[in-house]
Amino acid sequence: MRTRRGLCYPRADVCVDKIVVKRRDFAGYNMACRKRQRFSPVIAGNSDLFDALPDDLVISILSKLSSSASCPSDFINVLITCKRLNSFALQPLVLSKASSKLFAIKAENWSESAHRFLKCCADAGNVEACYTLGMIRFYCLQNRGSGASLMAKAAISSHAPALYSLAVIQFNGSGGSKNDKDLRAGVALCARAAFLGHIDALRELGHCLQDGYGVRQNITEGRRFLVQANARELAAGLSSASVSNIATCSWLTWSPHPIPHPTNRHPNVPGCPLLSDFGCNVPAPEAHPANKFLTDWFGSRDGIPGPGLRLCSHVGCGRPETRRHEFRRCSVCGAVNYCSRACQALDWKLRHKAECAPVERWLDEEGVGGDGMDEVIAES
């Protein structure tokens, strides 16, 4: 191997002194000489051992760091250490390995430099960066074409969240008019994401099959997908508990009656118990950094994405409407709206089941407008 300076490794100019030490054993006889190596004070004072490391070794270490980073600061601290680490950390090979948690940028810290960094990672072929930047551009920066293109780039690489997000866009006709909805394309994208094990896609596909929405109705097959989604959610909860060293018995419980859902009256009930109907309390799945960014971005704007527009009522989603009356409202109370059936199912189990109150009649606050009255979605 050769270093950045073109020298062989280890460097030939780093000399060592050989010090001969004579020792005596317990009987007083001379033992064989032992050589102890140490760096010469003169040479060691003028050399940088970090420069002796080969370039490919440093890049390999940085790639491992970027793929295992738990927050953006883990990687930023490397960038500001020295010029050599800064230049190597921005190599395409390192950026292409970055994990999704490396892109967990807070909305309040969004800047042009953060935008450029995500763009560099996306150009390096990082599918997580393509998806995160695509979501930010499509929903926050309202650059629909570029955002959808980046999400499609991630979807081509079989990125399940990107496939599911594109399915939601197709179901709602986001970025266009009501006539731009393509239910069959949404089902196809959802089926691909479900094949890759995406829980929300499995749940969405199950409801589509049960309702005959964009696909021929098949209640039995739809129910099978819903059960599979619940099973995968339980497996994900068990996996996260083992990683976090949390005792499974502390959150996975069983009772003959459904577990109460978290409300103001039950503030100590944790998680999103999708299996609570079967007596299991499963912790809420962690939201993707892109969804967290959307939630914070529009939360700082009082939850109003635009005049007459609304956010998805599921707290872990953050998707806004791109036109009036795009999302469907609850058919019972009309007080909440959702971008997808998956978000509706999650929010129903999380909080809305305890809050939903039927009314005789509900209308939009500002009356009929835009594309007409909202579609309704039945609670189940």
Side-chain angles (χ1 to χ4, degrees), residues 124-257:
N126 189 298
V127 293
E128 288 289 350
C130 289
Y131 173 64
T132 302
L133 184 57
M135 291 281 284
I136 293 173
R137 284 186 176 179
F138 189 89
Y139 290 109
C140 300
L141 306 182
Q142 298 184 9
N143 190 343
R144 314 293 187 197
S146 176
S149 177
L150 284 169
M151 283 189 278
K153 182 179 179 181
I156 291 174
S157 300
S158 297
H159 187 261
L163 287 163
Y164 175 69
S165 292
L166 290 175
V168 172
I169 291 174
Q170 293 293 334
F171 282 135
N172 296 319
S174 301
S177 66
K178 187 175 182 179
N179 295 328
D180 292 324
K181 292 183 178 181
D182 192 339
L183 303 185
R184 295 185 63 182
V187 170
L189 290 166
C190 214
R192 177 59 181 167
F195 175 78
L196 296 172
H198 194 268
I199 297 175
D200 287 341
L202 284 165
R203 189 169 294 115
E204 183 75 17
L205 187 59
H207 284 294
C208 287
L209 286 167
Q210 281 192 326
D211 301 338
Y213 189 74
V215 66
R216 179 179 296 179
Q217 188 176 25
N218 189 332
I219 298 177
T220 303
E221 192 69 10
R223 186 62 180 171
R224 186 178 69 84
F225 277 111
L226 293 178
V227 171
Q228 187 177 352
N230 288 344
R232 283 186 176 271
E233 189 173 54
L234 177 60
L238 291 171
S239 177
S240 62
S242 62
V243 172
S244 305
N245 294 324
I246 300 176
T248 305
C249 59
S250 66
W251 58 265
L252 182 58
T253 57
W254 183 88
S255 68
H257 304 289

Side-chain angles (χ1 to χ4, degrees), residues 73-107:
S73 61
D74 289 348
F75 194 72
I76 293 174
N77 290 334
V78 174
L79 295 177
I80 63 177
T81 301
C82 66
K83 289 184 178 180
R84 188 185 184 197
L85 283 179
N86 185 285
S87 62
F88 285 166
L90 296 178
Q91 291 288 326
L93 179 61
V94 177
L95 297 180
S96 65
K97 303 289 186 181
S99 65
S100 60
K101 293 183 178 180
L102 183 58
F103 309 126
I105 303 171
K106 294 183 178 179

Side-chain angles (χ1 to χ4, degrees), residues 35-48:
K35 296 180 180 179
R36 179 168 59 89
Q37 296 182 346
R38 67 179 177 86
F39 289 104
S40 172
V42 178
I43 300 298
N46 298 327
S47 65
D48 186 355

